[in-house]
């Protein structure tokens, strides 16, 4: 099985066994609010359909990996490139660290560096884009450390908890990533 190992994490292909945990994470309001996920309850059948869809879309429009902690081999989240445009060599990006005790300890950053090294060096992607809620300051700060630059704001674009929130649009070119992360983890 192909996997990519960083300093704290391993990225591996998604498994059907991952559905049980991902179902819990997708139904956790706190996690769902930070990843701007599906706003309604997710059933086991819906998650199975998502899994099959993810497998069918691999290598055409998306690449999804499960994230494991190297410390204890615990499955802790997902990371993905999606909306891949092979001609323009750009894509969008998303990450979910669903196990809360693994948040804010460097798992996200390590996983992102692994994935972006894969995207820029192996897939020949030129630009990665993301959307992040303006209230998610921890994620915004992490993205800036990795080299992302704000490109714009979608004003009052997200309705959540009886309030409208801005969405920040960010981008990262491969050259900017290499400059910001001189010590890339090699694949």
């Amino acid at each position: 099985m192909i996997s990519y190992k960083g300093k704290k994490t391993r990225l591996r292909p998604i498994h059907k066994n991952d559905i049980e945990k991902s179902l819990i994470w997708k139904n956790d309001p706190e996690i769902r609010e930070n990843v701007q996920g599906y706003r309604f309850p997710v059933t086991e059948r819906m998650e199975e359909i998502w899994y099959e869809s993810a497998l069918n879309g691999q290598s055409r429009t998306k690449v999804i990996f499960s994230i494991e902690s190297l410390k204890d081999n615990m499955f802790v989240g997902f990371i993905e490139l999606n909306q891949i445009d092979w001609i323009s060599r750009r894509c969008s990006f998303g990450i979910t660290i669903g196990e809360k005790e693994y948040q804010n300890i460097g798992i996200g950053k390590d996983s992102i560096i692994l994935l972006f090294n894969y995207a820029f060096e192996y897939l020949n992607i030129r630009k990665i884009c993301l959307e992040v809620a303006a209230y998610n300051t921890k994620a915004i700060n992490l993205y800036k450390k990795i080299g992302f630059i704000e490109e714009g704001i979608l004003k009052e674009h997200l309705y959540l908890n009886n309030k409208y929130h801005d969405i920040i649009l960010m981008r990262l070119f491969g050259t900017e990533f290499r400059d910001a992360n001189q010590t890339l983890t090699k694949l």
Side-chain angles (χ1 to χ4, degrees):
M1 171 175 65
I2 295 174
S3 66
Y4 301 99
K5 186 175 171 183
K7 295 177 182 173
K8 295 184 175 194
T9 60
R10 176 184 306 104
L11 303 185
R12 62 154 171 84
I14 58 174
H15 295 160
K16 192 144 184 142
N17 299 353
D18 297 340
I19 291 174
E20 186 177 331
K21 278 193 176 181
S22 67
L23 185 61
I24 293 168
W25 301 337
K26 288 181 182 175
N27 284 307
D28 182 325
E30 184 181 342
I31 292 171
R32 193 173 50 231
E33 288 172 9
N34 284 323
V35 297
Q36 302 173 50
Y38 186 70
R39 300 271 176 239
F40 305 101
V42 177
T43 66
E44 188 174 332
R45 180 68 187 129
M46 291 166 70
E47 198 62 5
E48 289 170 356
I49 291 169
W50 169 83
Y51 173 80
E52 293 300 325
S53 170
L55 291 181
N56 291 335
Q58 291 278 34
S59 80
R60 285 178 286 219
T61 60
K62 66 176 79 174
V63 177
I64 303 173
F65 288 101
S66 294
I67 302 169
E68 290 183 346
S69 167
L70 288 179
K71 181 177 77 172
D72 54 12
N73 296 317
M74 173 79 98
F75 164 54
V76 298
F78 294 105
I79 192 165
E80 67 180 287
L81 302 173
N82 52 54
Q83 300 173 334
I84 298 172
D85 180 333
W86 295 107
I87 295 169
S88 298
R89 297 176 38 220
R90 66 174 161 73
C91 64
S92 295
F93 152 77
I95 184 170
T96 301
I97 305 297
E99 293 295 320
K100 293 177 184 175
E101 61 271 19
Y102 290 84
Q103 295 173 353
N104 304 311
I105 61 169
I107 295 283
K109 182 177 181 181
D110 192 59
S111 299
I112 292 169
I113 288 172
L114 278 172
L115 182 70
F116 288 6
N117 191 34
Y118 171 78
F120 292 127
E121 303 302 326
Y122 184 75
L123 297 180
N124 200 27
I125 296 293
R126 185 181 62 83
K127 179 182 179 183
I128 298 176
C129 304
L130 65 82
E131 296 181 5
V132 60
Y135 60 77
N136 194 347
T137 55
K138 286 181 183 178
I140 293 166
N141 291 334
L142 172 60
Y143 299 147
K144 286 180 178 178
K145 285 179 189 172
I146 290 170
F148 273 93
I149 295 171
E150 187 176 316
E151 282 201 323
I153 297 176
L154 299 172
K155 298 299 286 180
E156 298 182 3
H157 197 70
L158 173 67
Y159 185 75
L160 183 65
N161 297 327
N162 298 317
K163 185 178 176 184
Y164 285 95
H165 301 274
D166 295 346
I167 296 294
I168 298 174
L169 305 174
M170 302 181 88
R171 64 103 171 111
L172 177 67
F173 286 104
T175 53
E176 295 165 335
F177 175 70
R178 289 179 199 97
D179 290 345
N181 300 279
Q182 293 297 320
T183 57
L184 292 177
T185 303
K186 297 298 178 193
L187 296 177

